[in-house]
Amino acid sequence: MKNIVLIGFMGSGKTVVSRVLSRKLKMKIIDIDTLIEKKARLKIKDIFKKFGEEYFRDLEEKVTRYVARKRNIIISTGGGIIKRENNIKNLKKNGIIVYLKNTFETSCKRLKGKKDRPLFNEKNLKATRKLFLQRLPLYKKAADIIIKTDDKSVKEVAEEIIKKVREK
Ligand code: S3P
């Protein structure tokens, strides 16, 4: 089976959906952000603070190249994975790209009070909304399947993904 690769903005539910998919399909999950944290021995927000975003993107690209070679896994990505075309090119080799699409308001609701995302700033929602709008076309372009997640449960989203992946 091809890999199932979840992409989408912060707060789109990639992590929680990957867990349900993994249970239902009996496929292993690899979370790219978790691997980056292990490799760097630092939390994402500390990588950004100490070394800056480009350093994080370099690590993300390296880890993605490694993960994309695997098969039969669910890959949960970070929201910025689409920033480098090379990441999508690599992930498409063995994988189906599933874009979890939601409104900016839904992301805000889901991330309320969370402090672990350096690029999601509740005090500057204008900048975060700008990032969201900039990225929309990139997620769309990368996606093989698009699933709207607003007002759906994690289980509903997972079931819709399984159905659409099987139709492919
Ligand atoms: C990022 C999203 C984060 C994480 C990092 C950068 C982004 O992942 O990779 O903070 O650029 O959108 P989540 O989408 O899991 O929050």
Side-chain angles (χ1 to χ4, degrees), residues 10 31-53 55-57 59-60 63 77-80 115-120:
M10 294 170 272
D31 182 300
I32 290 180
D33 278 350
T34 308
L35 268 191
I36 294 171
E37 289 184 335
K38 270 196 196 148
K39 209 174 157 63
R41 295 201 194 148
L42 282 172
K43 290 283 167 199
I44 304 273
K45 74 170 184 330
D46 296 322
I47 301 176
F48 269 73
K49 218 192 291 168
K50 274 188 130 165
F51 302 112
E53 180 172 351
Y55 181 86
F56 170 79
R57 297 297 169 203
L59 278 180
E60 185 175 51
V63 169
T77 64
K115 303 250 180 284
D116 54 351
R117 280 153 172 107
L119 297 181
F120 195 95

Side-chain angles (χ1 to χ4, degrees), residues 16 19 31 37-38 85 95 150 156 161 163-164:
V16 280
R19 290 192 186 129
D31 182 300
E37 289 184 335
K38 270 196 196 148
E85 238 175 272
D150 304 283
E156 282 169 332
I161 293 173
K163 191 168 161 265
K164 294 222 168 124

Side-chain angles (χ1 to χ4, degrees), residues 5 64 68 75 81 87-95 97:
V5 181
T64 302
I75 302 175
I81 199 79
N87 292 336
I88 299 302
K89 204 175 103 203
N90 285 329
L91 289 164
K92 273 192 189 271
K93 282 184 193 151
N94 291 336
I97 314 276

